[in-house]
């Protein structure tokens, strides 16, 4: 079993600027970046060009450490304590489910665990101590 913990910085529309800042200041290398517009679209709910330009996910590397930067999803609100998350990456959905349910005990569900276009099992919880965790399962090909 492989288990990774990565810092995940969530921002309110400024992820692109933050990525550039971390590249300049920390010498971060951009390994991956996807905008909201590059992901699946709902034809019944068209997005503005501004919404499509938001960063859905990015991976930066500084030294031997990867960290993630993205803009908040629609409906999420930036509040003290949720701007930096810990992303737990696991190999299989069973382990994701175990961690997700254990972390939510006494806390709250932010995003229900389930399959999404980028992961077979993804969810977000804030634990009873106020720390926010994203639980992410790798696809078989990753």
């Amino acid at each position: 079993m492989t288990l990774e913990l990565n810092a995940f910085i969530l921002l309110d529309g400024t992820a692109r600027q933050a990525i550039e800042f971390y590249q300049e200041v920390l010498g971060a290398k951009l390994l991956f970046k996807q905008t909201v517009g590059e992901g699946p679209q709902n034809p019944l709910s068209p997005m503005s060009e501004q919404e499509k330009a938001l960063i859905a996910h990015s991976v930066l590397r500084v030294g031997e450490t990867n960290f993630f930067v993205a803009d908040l999803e629609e409906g999420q609100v930036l509040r003290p304590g949720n701007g930096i998350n810990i992303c737990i990456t696991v190999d299989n959905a069973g382990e994701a489910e175990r961690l997700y349910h254990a972390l939510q005990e006494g806390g709250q569900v932010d995003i229900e665990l389930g399959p999404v276009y980028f992961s077979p099992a993804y969810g977000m919880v804030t634990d009873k101590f106020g720390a926010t965790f994203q639980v992410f399962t790798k696809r078989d090909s990753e």
Side-chain angles (χ1 to χ4, degrees):
M1 175 186 82
T2 302
L3 180 72
E4 281 181 41
L5 298 179
N6 298 94
F8 199 125
I9 302 170
L10 289 172
L11 299 165
D12 196 9
T14 58
R16 187 176 308 278
Q17 295 90 327
I19 291 166
E20 292 170 3
F21 176 76
Y22 298 137
Q23 286 176 307
E24 181 181 327
V25 173
L26 300 176
K29 292 183 178 22
L30 182 63
L31 303 179
F32 175 82
K33 180 176 73 175
Q34 181 179 41
T35 65
V36 171
E38 292 169 327
Q41 304 295 305
N42 179 351
L44 301 176
S45 184
M47 287 188 257
S48 70
E49 291 305 311
Q50 184 177 348
E51 290 169 312
K52 288 179 182 178
L54 293 172
I55 304 299
H57 187 60
S58 70
V59 179
L60 292 98
R61 186 167 188 84
V62 175
E64 298 300 313
T65 303
N66 289 348
F67 67 102
F68 309 142
V69 177
D71 287 308
L72 292 167
E73 291 183 21
E74 185 179 334
Q76 288 183 304
V77 177
L78 189 62
R79 58 179 163 66
N82 78 343
I84 297 180
N85 302 187
I86 297 170
C87 185
I88 301 174
T89 302
V90 296
D91 292 330
N92 65 71
E95 181 65 2
E97 188 172 341
R98 183 189 74 75
L99 290 166
Y100 177 86
H101 291 296
L103 288 166
Q104 80 175 20
E105 191 172 316
Q108 72 180 40
V109 171
D110 299 315
I111 297 176
E112 289 286 339
L113 183 72
V116 292
Y117 77 94
F118 56 84
S119 173
Y122 170 80
M124 184 185 292
V125 297
T126 299
D127 72 11
K128 61 185 171 187
F129 303 105
T132 302
F133 290 87
Q134 295 187 43
V135 179
F136 172 82
T137 308
K138 292 181 182 180
R139 289 190 208 144
D140 291 335
S141 63
E142 292 180 294

